[in-house]
Amino acid sequence: MLSSEILDAVSTSFSVFFQGKNFIRLLMGLWVTISIAAVSVVLSIFFGTIFGMIMTIKNRVVRILSKIYLEFMRIMPQLVLLFLAYYGLTRSLGISLSGETASILVFTLWGTAEMGDLVRGALQSVPRHQYESGMAIGLTNRQIFCHIVLPQTLRLLVPMSMNLVTRMIKTTSLVVFVGVIEVVKIGQQIIEGNRLKVPTCSIAVYAVIFFMYFFVCWVFSLLANILEKRQKE
Amino acid sequence: MKKAVWAVLVAGLALIFAGSAMAAKNDTGRTVEQIKKSKEIVIAVFCDKKPFGYVDENGEYQGYDVYFANRIAKDLGVKVKFVPVEPAARVEVLDTNKVDLVLANFTKTPERAQKVDFALPYMKVALGVVSKESALITAPEQLNGKTLIIVKGTTAETYFSENYPKVKLLKFEMYADAYKALLDGRGDAFSTDNTEVLAWAIENPGYKVGIESLGNLDTINPAIKKGNANLMKWLNEEIVKLGTENFFHADYEATLRAVYGAESDANSIVVEGGKI
């Protein structure tokens, strides 16, 4: 008796996915989320690696400047950065970016800072004697970097950067504030559209969004595991 | 070194904010000719506020504001591009030229009129307060010391913080979250435009609008960038012209009738030809 009622409630709340193109819309929203995150992640890894190497340079000015950049990106909430990129740039410099571009810009700047710090940490964790031993057997700087430093750095970097990647994917839900419609916002549109007819559907919609995020992030951690295992062999 | 880092950080921040404060640019948005030439008008609407502006299950924009927006685009002979907007960002999108026009249930207030220009009204509203039928709020004084749910950037927020400072306000960014909070019992009542709460209460048994009309009778107007006299003139002429064919009554029948019920009176909400 009671269980059939629950079953009924559950099936009505999930029925919203079969109205019109609702489920396809949600998947398209997920695609927006993934593509913004993917572009930002690729750019962040590229610029972050360079930034991380720059941070290891032993020069006072370079160190202070990169420290300022890193701290600024860490302290400022991503939402504030998004507003600065979307509205602030237009106000102060007259540059009008689309919501998507502003989001990718902010996530790349943020990802570069975080990734750079990870790369710096990984590079510096390679013990001094590893470099010295390389030099002692007559390797060039390039060879030392490619054959000694890089493999050890990557082993440390892979799990830490996967953590950053999943964080970036989840933070993309903020882009709705600069007018980009992604998966969470489409979920809210579906909830709003049905709030009078199926008020219970919010649970169903959020549950599906939960699994979507979970699945995307899970794929990344699987990938990380495979990479880690391959390196150990 | 730490001190130096902080000093530069603070200086940098100050520069950014000074930059945004100096944004007193003299541009006033696109003129009617420029819009026609680009073959597209950009209009900010709500994407999750049924029945005024929302996206339906097929991904199409619908609602009272959208119906009007489509007509404006048709009469200008251009395509329409909708930009979804959150309540608190409605002034900002005009200020930064992200859109030509805001048709997002935008209530005209003196504070807002200093930042954007409002054309003739096309709808009227007052505030309403919805609460549980078992603990019905029928006067705003009953809310003193209790928690009232509101949405950021709406007229309800300013009205209650100015006139009833003893009311505890629980603020949300989105309508969906505000309603959920009310259903979850995180506040004693929810206040926003009366049209909105009336429609919601019809569909949610156990909840009732105890205060149907609070505050001044406000109007809902199209908003454009401050100083855009050219577009303003066209819009006002358009609204007067639409009044002669009772356009907004047709809009009401198409979008609001189903929500407010067969007995509802269109004249309590609709404004024709800009005349209240």
Side-chain angles (χ1 to χ4, degrees), chain A residues 191-192 194-203 206, chain B residues 130-134 147-150 170 172 174-191 196-197 199-208:
Chain A
I191 293 169
E192 281 290 318
N194 288 289
R195 68 164 198 265
L196 303 174
K197 280 180 225 138
V198 195
T200 53
C201 76
S202 60
I203 287 282
Y206 282 128
Chain B
V130 65
S131 50
K132 256 201 183 107
E133 224 167 349
S134 52
T147 305
L148 179 69
I149 299 166
I150 48 114
L170 180 60
F172 289 93
M174 310 198 182
Y175 278 85
D177 297 335
Y179 284 124
K180 221 158 77 53
L182 181 65
L183 289 171
D184 293 346
R186 287 162 66 187
D188 299 290
F190 171 54
S191 178
E196 174 65 27
V197 285
W200 186 82
I202 289 176
E203 302 286 338
N204 285 273
Y207 289 85
K208 208 177 152 187

Side-chain angles (χ1 to χ4, degrees), chain A residues 7-47:
Chain A
L7 214 67
D8 247 27
V10 169
S11 67
T12 26
S13 56
F14 275 93
S15 70
V16 294
F17 294 111
F18 301 105
Q19 287 172 14
K21 299 178 195 149
N22 272 357
F23 193 68
I24 294 174
R25 283 176 60 212
L26 209 57
L27 284 177
M28 276 161 62
L30 185 67
W31 176 244
V32 172
T33 300
I34 293 176
S35 44
I36 287 180
V39 173
S40 316
V41 163
V42 170
L43 291 175
S44 299
I45 290 177
F46 178 72
F47 290 116

Side-chain angles (χ1 to χ4, degrees), chain A residues 16 19-22 25 60 63-65 67-68 71-72 75-76 80 83-98 176-181 185 188-197 199 202 206, chain B residues 1 4-6 8-9 13 16-17 19-20 22-23 25 47-51 54-61 83-86 89 92-93 95-98 173-177 179-180 183 196 199-201 203-204 259:
Chain A
V16 294
Q19 287 172 14
K21 299 178 195 149
N22 272 357
R25 283 176 60 212
R60 224 180 129 83
R63 252 178 47 209
I64 290 180
L65 284 180
K67 185 85 183 160
I68 287 171
E71 291 300 322
F72 183 79
I75 292 169
M76 287 295 250
V80 176
F83 281 141
L84 278 178
Y86 190 62
Y87 296 119
L89 277 184
T90 320
R91 269 173 181 271
S92 49
L93 301 171
I95 304 167
S96 188
L97 298 178
S98 73
V176 61
F177 289 100
V178 292
V180 180
I181 300 294
K185 189 67 200 180
Q188 278 164 348
Q189 286 176 356
I190 295 173
I191 293 169
E192 281 290 318
N194 288 289
R195 68 164 198 265
L196 303 174
K197 280 180 225 138
S202 60
Y206 282 128
Chain B
M1 174 168 148
V5 170
W6 276 108
V8 178
L9 240 178
L13 271 179
I16 288 173
F17 288 120
S20 13
M22 282 190 304
K25 284 218 197 74
C47 64
D48 60 358
K49 199 169 181 242
K50 206 175 176 179
Y54 64 99
V55 178
D56 70 6
E57 64 271 20
N58 295 314
E60 304 284 340
Y61 280 92
V83 171
V85 70
E86 299 298 328
E92 200 65 27
V93 287
D95 244 9
T96 51
N97 287 330
K98 300 282 179 193
E173 206 72 53
M174 310 198 182
Y175 278 85
D177 297 335
Y179 284 124
K180 221 158 77 53
L183 289 171
E196 174 65 27
W200 186 82
E203 302 286 338
N204 285 273
V259 181

Side-chain angles (χ1 to χ4, degrees), chain B residues 49 105 107 125-128 155 191-198 220:
Chain B
K49 199 169 181 242
N105 219 265
T107 313
V125 282
L127 291 177
T155 32
S191 178
T192 188
D193 295 344
N194 56 0
T195 50
E196 174 65 27
V197 285
L198 281 167
I220 294 201

Side-chain angles (χ1 to χ4, degrees), chain A residues 86-87 90 96, chain B residues 27-30 35 40-45 81-85 89-104 106 116 223-226 228 231:
Chain A
Y86 190 62
Y87 296 119
T90 320
S96 188
Chain B
D27 77 307
T28 52
R30 299 199 296 167
I35 293 170
E40 187 180 69
I41 183 167
V42 188
I43 303 181
V45 292
K81 184 186 171 201
F82 291 114
V83 171
V85 70
R90 287 175 295 188
V91 170
E92 200 65 27
V93 287
L94 282 172
D95 244 9
T96 51
N97 287 330
K98 300 282 179 193
V99 300
D100 299 309
L101 172 67
V102 170
L103 286 177
F106 208 6
V116 298
I224 55 175
K225 176 138 183 170
K226 190 93 198 148
N228 192 347
L231 183 59

